[in-house]
Amino acid sequence: MRNAPSRIEWEYEGKPDFSSGTGATRAERTLALGSACIVPVVVLLLASTRDYGWSWLQLAVALALAFDVGGGLVSNALNSCKRFYHTPPKQSEGKLGVVLKHPVRFGSAHVHTILVALLFDADRWATYGLVWYALLMLSVAVVLRTPLYLQRPASFLAILLATLINFYGIAPVPGFEWLAPLLFIKIVYGHMVREEPYRPA
């Protein structure tokens, strides 16, 4: 399968799909949906085996964030998403397309760490929530200002540093040990790095 025929294609058409990218194949949509279920299952297992003391509202928020981050991490790496988000907005995509196809606006909408801090560890809304958000946006800015041929390794450098900080620097909010590293993969590599979008030949 390594040398299976494929072609680079930037053109797409169809009903706007801001999740998997317009024109995603069935395999691409299946990968995205399947991955979106993994982290919520882990969160449910953690919540049922550890005494977090979460309310039903907190559990619902945790599951929604897990679905978004886990699914988005894989979705943003899809060829269909690379094709969709790294081409100019089309008229059919409306104002939402203009907003979401702007990389800084897309990245800045991911206030997940601030939300987690406010709802699960309010005393650390600044030292956890804001610091992680600032690091995410700094990484976005650095990658976007890096020459294209170095963007992918630069994004992985940011992910490496974020993972180490998550382990040895900023203590995670209990139950969200996964959040910062996966969020950096989703946004800093998955969404920001422009790569050639392949289609099956």
Side-chain angles (χ1 to χ4, degrees), residues 107-182:
S108 64
H110 287 73
V111 295
H112 297 44
T113 57
I114 296 174
L115 184 60
V116 165
L118 289 173
L119 289 180
F120 296 87
D121 195 352
D123 292 339
R124 300 176 60 208
W125 72 271
T127 57
Y128 176 86
L130 283 181
V131 169
W132 270 120
Y133 184 74
L135 291 172
L136 178 66
M137 294 311 298
L138 175 63
S139 300
V140 165
V142 168
V143 169
L144 290 178
R145 286 165 173 75
T146 299
L148 180 60
Y149 83 105
L150 291 175
Q151 281 189 359
R152 184 168 51 234
S155 73
F156 277 98
L157 175 58
I159 293 164
L160 168 65
L161 294 173
T163 303
L164 292 175
I165 292 170
N166 187 63
F167 278 124
Y168 305 113
I170 304 171
V173 172
F176 291 91
E177 294 82 1
W178 48 271
L179 178 58
L182 298 189

Side-chain angles (χ1 to χ4, degrees), residues 10-162:
W10 287 101
E11 295 299 320
Y12 65 89
E13 58 183 19
K15 182 180 177 181
D17 183 346
F18 296 98
S19 176
S20 299
T22 302
T25 64
R26 179 179 296 178
E28 286 173 319
R29 289 193 300 270
T30 301
L31 270 173
L33 182 59
S35 68
C37 299
I38 294 172
V39 184
V41 169
V42 172
V43 168
L44 280 174
L45 289 172
L46 290 172
S48 64
T49 57
R50 303 185 183 186
D51 186 20
Y52 292 137
W54 290 351
S55 66
W56 286 107
L57 174 60
Q58 287 174 313
L59 179 60
V61 170
L63 290 173
L65 292 176
F67 183 87
D68 175 71
V69 173
L73 183 152
V74 173
S75 290
N76 285 351
L78 295 174
N79 286 289
S80 52
C81 267
K82 294 292 186 181
R83 180 181 303 113
F84 181 77
Y85 281 106
H86 290 275
T87 53
K90 295 188 175 185
Q91 187 173 0
S92 62
E93 293 157 4
K95 292 182 179 179
L96 184 60
V98 173
V99 172
L100 293 183
K101 285 193 168 188
H102 189 284
V104 176
R105 290 175 186 160
F106 186 94
S108 64
H110 287 73
V111 295
H112 297 44
T113 57
I114 296 174
L115 184 60
V116 165
L118 289 173
L119 289 180
F120 296 87
D121 195 352
D123 292 339
R124 300 176 60 208
W125 72 271
T127 57
Y128 176 86
L130 283 181
V131 169
W132 270 120
Y133 184 74
L135 291 172
L136 178 66
M137 294 311 298
L138 175 63
S139 300
V140 165
V142 168
V143 169
L144 290 178
R145 286 165 173 75
T146 299
L148 180 60
Y149 83 105
L150 291 175
Q151 281 189 359
R152 184 168 51 234
S155 73
F156 277 98
L157 175 58
I159 293 164
L160 168 65
L161 294 173

